């Protein structure tokens, strides 16, 4: 059985007090109300990670994640954060290749392959983001384009390691726009990516990989999206900043 995951990408939002409050609310509401086995990953800014980890109860289904890591192990890279540092403060998941990082910080497929390997070496699960722009979707080449992103960054991995990856399909035209992909559009892409993985690895391996949907997912549309056969949860931006909305999304399985 693939894991059901709802991951919140806070992006560059929430000061320290606000981050503490949001995390406490998520922990409390999840404890009282969450009735399923979904894993909730909170991905705050780096500066909050160490403190927020201390709030998360040991036996809960809440995990700590980061929004990025550097693609070198250590050294003279002023301002960057290594996978060892993340591991040392209890990070268990790391988002890599978000479209904002690909676009504003020029992240390349090669760097994402390096990040993936470094994360796996220290036992952190990469949440690998992929997705097409509106122009590519309108050209009709979106399926091949996103499959290629996965090929370039992940297909050097061994059969053992590829199964440790979580993929997040995030059409760029749906991120922060209020314009969600329809469940049919999302399911089509997820099924295509799973088949793509099966062709390079095996069907069994492809069936073990959680593929999340991201892009204006909210309490109103999560149920329909999560009901699709190949959608195993969501990567949530805006709606992860409100505890009630985040938990309602997690309750949508
Ligand atoms: C995201 O940035 O990963 C995202 C899915 O954002 P939003 O939910 O706000 O569209």
């Amino acid at each position: 059985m693939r894991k059901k995951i709802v991951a919140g990408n806070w992006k560059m939002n929430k000061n320290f007090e606000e981050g503490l409050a949001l995390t406490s609310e998520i922990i409390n509401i999840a404890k009282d109300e969450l009735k399923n086995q979904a894993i909730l990953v909170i991905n705050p800014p780096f500066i909050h990670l160490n403190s927020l980890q201390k709030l998360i109860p040991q036996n809960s289904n809440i995990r700590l994640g980061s929004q990025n890591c550097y693609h070198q192990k250590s050294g003279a890279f002023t301002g960057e954060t290594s996978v060892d540092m993340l591991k040392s403060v209890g990070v268990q998941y790391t988002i890599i290749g978000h479209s904002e990082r690909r676009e504003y910080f020029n992240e390349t497929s090669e760097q994402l392959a390096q990040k993936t390997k470094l994360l796996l070496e220290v036992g952190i699960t990469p949440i690998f983001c992929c997705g097409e722009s509106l122009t590519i979707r309108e050209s009709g080449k979106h399926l091949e384009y996103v499959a290629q992103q996965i090929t370039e960054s992940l297909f050097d991995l061994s059969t053992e390691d590829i199964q440790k990856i979580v993929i997040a399909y995030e059409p760029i035209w749906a991120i922060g726009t209020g314009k969600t992909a329809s469940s049919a559009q999302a399911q089509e892409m997820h099924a295509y990516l799973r088949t793509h993985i099966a062709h390079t690895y095996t069907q069994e391996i492809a069936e073990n990989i959680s593929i999340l949907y991201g892009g204006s997912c909210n309490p109103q549309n999560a149920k329909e999206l999560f009901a699709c056969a190949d959608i195993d949860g969501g990567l949530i931006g805006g709606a992860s900043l409100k505890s009630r909305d985040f938990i309602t999304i997690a309750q949508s399985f």
Side-chain angles (χ1 to χ4, degrees), residues 68-109:
N68 187 27
C69 64
Y70 198 55
H71 62 274
Q72 303 282 347
K73 204 163 172 48
S74 65
F77 301 106
T78 302
E80 293 298 336
T81 304
S82 74
V83 297
D84 289 312
M85 295 168 193
L86 296 174
K87 183 73 180 174
S88 71
V89 296
V91 164
Q92 290 178 276
Y93 289 80
T94 293
I95 298 169
I96 55 170
H98 191 282
S99 58
E100 288 153 16
R101 295 214 57 89
R102 290 181 192 255
E103 183 180 348
Y104 308 143
F105 302 95
N106 302 315
E107 288 196 352
T108 63
S109 293

Side-chain angles (χ1 to χ4, degrees), residues 175-248:
I175 295 178
T177 58
K179 196 174 165 194
T180 326
S182 69
S183 52
Q185 286 173 320
Q187 167 57 26
E188 179 191 34
M189 178 64 81
H190 285 224
Y192 187 87
L193 296 179
R194 206 177 296 288
T195 304
H196 182 61
I197 296 166
H199 281 153
T200 300
Y201 294 89
T202 66
Q203 187 63 37
E204 195 190 343
I205 286 172
E207 292 295 338
N208 285 337
I209 297 178
S210 297
I211 308 181
L212 316 183
Y213 168 78
S216 299
C217 185
N218 60 40
Q220 286 73 45
N221 58 31
K223 229 185 182 80
E224 187 180 333
L225 287 160
F226 294 178
C228 296
D230 289 286
I231 300 182
D232 306 305
L235 179 55
I236 319 296
S240 73
L241 299 174
K242 294 187 186 139
S243 51
R244 175 61 59 191
D245 286 359
F246 188 55
I247 300 292
T248 304

